[in-house]
Amino acid sequence: MQGAVAEPALAPVTRQVSGSAAPAAVPSGPERGQPLAAAVAELPVLDASGRQVPFGALFRERRAVVVFVRHFLCYICKEYVEDLAKIPKSFLQEADVTLIVIGQSSYHHIEPFCKLTGYSHEIYVDPEREIYKKLGMKRGEEIAASGKSPHIKSNILSGSIRSLWRAVTGPLFDFQGDPAQQGGTLILGPGNNIHFIHRDKNRLDHKPINSVLQLVGVQHVDFTSRPSVIHV
């Protein structure tokens, strides 16, 4: 699949103001069809060893699906990434696409998070959240009907308890990122081309994975099989 990715245009959200519909406020940041600013592409992310890599280098040569998660203790992010881990590398290679997860914790948390989720694709962190901010990722929860996610298995009580337990029993007692930060999904590259961007309104507003994979020509993935990971 060559060139720009074709996807349906997203209709702007509207809200009622004094009896008339007015466009809802959207975060500042780049939009689909606009190039990513060079200054953003030059911002660093860190790999699991703490090595700095320019953000733009991750998708300079090929298209990439880039998923920004809230924080590594978020049980919703954990279960979403568990399903990202099920995407066969051969499917991505056939479509010449890279899959990248970006968190906002210290890089020390990358390896334990990968072991917990079984995730083996590319992963980096943006500890200062500079890229999150430049891309207009939301901070705080917006009340919106997000529907039931096919990727989330836990209910809010059991999921929150597991997250808290991981926080207090981990070697570094922290929340592995700003709990108020929301994530999003982009399709980028080659170069600084933005083909698709979705900013999560709340913790449940992530895009269904197969709907994103379809945009880049990756085969449909069956997410019904459970991963062989330990829930703690």
Side-chain angles (χ1 to χ4, degrees):
M1 191 174 171
Q2 303 293 327
V5 179
E7 71 278 359
L10 302 179
V13 179
T14 62
R15 63 171 182 268
Q16 290 297 120
V17 180
S18 302
S20 61
V26 296
S28 60
E31 302 300 328
R32 179 175 64 92
Q34 295 180 357
L36 186 70
V40 179
E42 292 168 2
L43 289 171
V45 292
L46 305 180
D47 65 14
S49 64
R51 180 176 65 95
Q52 288 193 352
V53 181
F55 178 53
L58 306 182
F59 42 86
R60 182 175 297 143
E61 303 298 331
R62 64 174 64 179
R63 285 173 302 157
V65 173
V66 184
V67 178
F68 287 79
V69 299
R70 295 180 62 243
H71 57 89
F72 287 164
L73 276 183
C74 170
Y75 76 92
I76 292 172
C77 299
K78 170 185 171 290
E79 294 182 3
Y80 189 80
V81 173
E82 284 175 354
D83 275 3
L84 289 175
K86 295 178 184 177
I87 302 172
K89 291 187 177 181
S90 60
F91 284 17
L92 297 170
Q93 290 168 353
E94 288 170 7
D96 196 26
V97 170
T98 303
L99 174 62
I100 301 166
V101 165
I102 294 181
Q104 39 128 355
S105 73
S106 162
Y107 72 87
H108 297 96
H109 292 298
I110 291 179
E111 186 174 347
F113 184 71
C114 289
K115 287 181 179 178
L116 182 68
T117 58
Y119 181 85
S120 61
H121 302 289
E122 291 189 38
I123 182 168
Y124 304 88
V125 291
D126 173 24
E128 303 301 322
R129 297 185 295 116
E130 289 299 323
I131 300 172
Y132 283 78
K133 296 171 187 174
K134 295 293 186 183
L135 293 178
M137 299 297 178
K138 183 177 177 61
R139 189 173 182 276
E141 297 266 356
E142 179 179 327
I143 298 175
S146 302
K148 182 175 176 57
S149 170
H151 307 293
I152 308 308
K153 298 87 181 173
S154 300
N155 60 46
I156 189 169
L157 177 60
S158 63
S160 298
I161 290 173
R162 288 195 186 105
S163 294
L164 181 60
W165 180 253
R166 285 197 288 132
V168 300
T169 59
L172 300 172
F173 179 37
D174 63 49
F175 285 97
Q176 302 185 25
D178 180 354
Q181 179 66 58
Q182 303 301 320
T185 301
L186 295 90
I187 298 173
L188 299 163
N192 290 345
N193 297 308
I194 301 175
H195 304 291
F196 174 86
I197 182 166
H198 169 81
R199 300 178 182 90
D200 300 344
K201 297 182 180 68
N202 54 55
R203 66 190 68 192
L204 289 171
D205 191 40
H206 49 250
K207 295 294 290 182
I209 296 170
N210 273 319
S211 70
V212 178
L213 296 182
Q214 182 180 24
L215 297 177
V216 290
V218 174
Q219 296 182 49
H220 185 276
V221 178
D222 179 9
F223 293 112
T224 58
S225 61
R226 297 304 298 267
S228 56
V229 296
I230 300 173
H231 290 275
V232 295

